[in-house]
Amino acid sequence: MPKLGMEPIRKAALVEATIAEIGASGSLDVTVSQIAKRAGVSSALAHHYFGGKEQILQAGMRQVLADFGAKVRAALVASKGPRGRVDAIIAASFEVGNFRRDVVAAWLNFYVLAQTSPDASRLLVVYQRRMHSNLVYALKPLIGVRAPDVARGIAAMIDGVYIRQALHGGTPDSNGARSLVQDYLDMCLRDQA
Amino acid sequence: MPKLGMEPIRKAALVEATIAEIGASGSLDVTVSQIAKRAGVSSALAHHYFGGKEQILQAGMRQVLADFGAKVRAALVASKGPRGRVDAIIAASFEVGNFRRDVVAAWLNFYVLAQTSPDASRLLVVYQRRMHSNLVYALKPLIGVRAPDVARGIAAMIDGVYIRQALHGGTPDSNGARSLVQDYLDMCLRDQA
DNA sequence: AGTTTTTGATTGACTCGTCAATCAATAAAA
DNA sequence: TTTTATTGATTGACGAGTCAATCAAAAACT
């Protein structure tokens, strides 16, 4: 055989190229040839390793989700105390890397895909569940029984702020986004409802 | 055949069919033939009246935006007092019609399009600006100088809650969505920051 | 060590389908 | 007859997926 163990290398390159192409086109209308070309291989090889276009795109999506999850996890282990944990989640959500052209494109098209693809929908639910349970776990010591409700509010606001920032042409304002959500959190903590 | 004055009728039918097809496919990957067929005409006629696919899709998007704007306007004229105006905007945003399959699909794909199409981006900015100024106008009597910031928070939360509801399979919970945002508003009003 | 066999890696060429856009032709008002 | 409405047929381009063939290293064998 030629150089052995090419498969994981090629797959990784194709996944990366997939995300890049999605970013370049802004949509999922990317050809397998484009992806393969960017990865430096033939389109036939992409089919050989992934089986079909659908699976290539799915691998790309999964990668974006995984990257995000890793960022949150890293931020959490470096945090201290309940409030620190919430702040870490918020900060990780608005990290500059998340506003990269290709990452934004991946997320938006992920939403679109989630309407019709059970696979995409399931992945999205997993992400939302993890976000929610992370938030609840951090909020419980701070506000007790109100934690689930506040977590829902924070999660929604993170999504809303993210989309607005992402679509707002020009440099995204990570700090502004973060403080908007943190102000909301502060207010919730101050409030006795 | 030609009964005169068909143009506006056909155009309206094609626009409606466009939105329906976008809803059916969940994406902008709809063929002109599909749209034309649903509208009961040939694809050639669609090209004849609109010039090209791009313009057909754009007309569909503009229609969705216009429908939303009309709903908000209607809710505003029927409202009473500052607080009533804010509630009206929130309620209009989560009206059941906005969760229709095709409307959701249109909005999500609108976001996607806004990344790369200056036209779509411009339309989106117009919508956001109007939303913001409506909110500020209603909030000013309630919280004065804090109005712009709170308006930003409410707008973001509306978007975030909407997306979560829209992508959450099953019947959307209009009331739940509304109360989530209204609770946020109540808290802002109660708060002296 | 040298030869042979095996097999992963890789591609160019091809098939089959689809789709946007165009056009020439037809029909019916004005 | 000039204009408006309307379509079937056609075209030209493009893209997913398949396949047979090639290449080169590694393993097996002598």
Side-chain angles (χ1 to χ4, degrees):
Chain A
M1 331 167 167
K3 308 151 209 170
L4 234 349
M6 279 292 102
E7 176 161 349
I9 296 171
R10 295 273 111 108
K11 273 193 163 181
L14 283 165
V15 165
E16 188 192 334
T18 299
I19 298 170
E21 279 302 317
I22 290 174
S25 79
S27 74
L28 298 183
D29 281 332
V30 291
T31 71
V32 175
S33 296
Q34 285 168 352
I35 294 171
K37 185 170 188 178
R38 187 184 285 258
V41 299
S42 71
S43 72
L45 193 65
H47 278 96
H48 173 64
Y49 280 135
F50 281 94
K53 186 183 184 178
E54 189 120 346
Q55 281 132 300
I56 298 177
L57 292 179
Q58 219 147 67
M61 296 282 145
R62 217 173 290 121
Q63 182 69 47
V64 173
L65 269 273
D67 287 350
F68 179 77
K71 270 180 198 158
V72 172
R73 237 172 294 127
L76 279 177
V77 301
S79 70
K80 217 45 183 158
R83 175 59 196 256
R85 289 179 74 84
V86 186
D87 285 342
I89 294 171
I90 296 171
S93 300
F94 296 128
E95 212 216 314
V96 282
N98 292 339
F99 290 108
R100 264 171 34 198
R101 208 187 156 68
D102 52 352
V103 175
V104 168
W107 274 100
L108 293 181
N109 283 285
F110 204 56
Y111 287 149
V112 167
L113 209 55
Q115 294 172 100
T116 56
S117 158
D119 281 309
S121 179
R122 203 174 331 115
L123 281 182
L124 203 56
V125 168
V126 167
Y127 147 73
Q128 287 176 342
R129 267 212 232 299
R130 188 162 44 203
M131 172 68 77
H132 186 259
S133 82
N134 279 339
L135 284 171
V136 169
Y137 176 71
L139 287 169
K140 210 104 174 214
L142 298 171
I143 52 175
V145 74
R146 276 200 304 150
D149 281 327
V150 173
R152 245 181 295 279
I154 289 179
M157 188 165 258
I158 286 176
D159 283 1
V161 170
Y162 177 77
I163 286 194
R164 294 185 152 244
Q165 282 286 327
L167 291 182
H168 213 311
T171 314
D173 180 8
S174 278
N175 293 336
R178 202 166 54 226
S179 70
L180 228 175
V181 181
Q182 280 174 335
D183 286 351
Y184 171 62
L185 171 59
D186 286 332
M187 201 164 59
C188 288
L189 296 180
R190 221 181 296 131
D191 194 69
Q192 334 288 353
Chain B
M1 308 186 181
K3 307 139 199 175
L4 276 239
M6 279 291 101
E7 175 160 349
I9 296 171
R10 295 271 111 110
K11 271 192 164 182
L14 282 165
V15 166
E16 188 193 334
T18 300
I19 299 171
E21 279 301 319
I22 291 174
S25 79
S27 74
L28 298 183
D29 281 332
V30 291
T31 72
V32 175
S33 297
Q34 285 168 352
I35 294 171
K37 184 170 191 177
R38 187 183 284 258
V41 298
S42 71
S43 71
L45 193 66
H47 275 96
H48 172 64
Y49 280 133
F50 280 94
K53 185 184 185 178
E54 190 119 345
Q55 280 132 301
I56 298 176
L57 292 179
Q58 218 145 67
M61 297 281 145
R62 220 175 285 120
Q63 182 69 46
V64 172
L65 269 274
D67 287 350
F68 179 77
K71 271 180 199 157
V72 172
R73 239 173 291 125
L76 279 178
V77 300
S79 69
K80 219 43 186 158
R83 175 59 197 255
R85 288 179 74 85
V86 185
D87 285 342
I89 294 171
I90 297 171
S93 299
F94 296 128
E95 212 215 314
V96 281
N98 291 340
F99 288 108
R100 263 174 31 201
R101 210 187 155 67
D102 53 351
V103 175
V104 169
W107 274 101
L108 293 182
N109 282 285
F110 203 56
Y111 286 147
V112 167
L113 209 55
Q115 293 172 103
T116 56
S117 157
D119 281 309
S121 179
R122 205 176 327 115
L123 282 182
L124 204 56
V125 168
V126 168
Y127 146 74
Q128 287 175 342
R129 266 210 234 297
R130 188 162 43 205
M131 172 67 78
H132 186 259
S133 81
N134 280 338
L135 284 171
V136 169
Y137 176 71
L139 287 170
K140 210 105 176 211
L142 299 172
I143 51 174
V145 73
R146 276 201 303 153
D149 281 327
V150 173
R152 245 180 296 280
I154 289 180
M157 188 165 258
I158 286 176
D159 284 1
V161 170
Y162 177 77
I163 286 194
R164 294 186 151 242
Q165 283 284 328
L167 290 183
H168 212 309
T171 314
D173 179 9
S174 278
N175 293 336
R178 201 166 55 227
S179 70
L180 228 176
V181 181
Q182 280 174 335
D183 286 352
Y184 171 62
L185 171 59
D186 287 332
M187 201 164 59
C188 288
L189 296 180
R190 221 181 296 131
D191 194 70
Q192 334 288 353

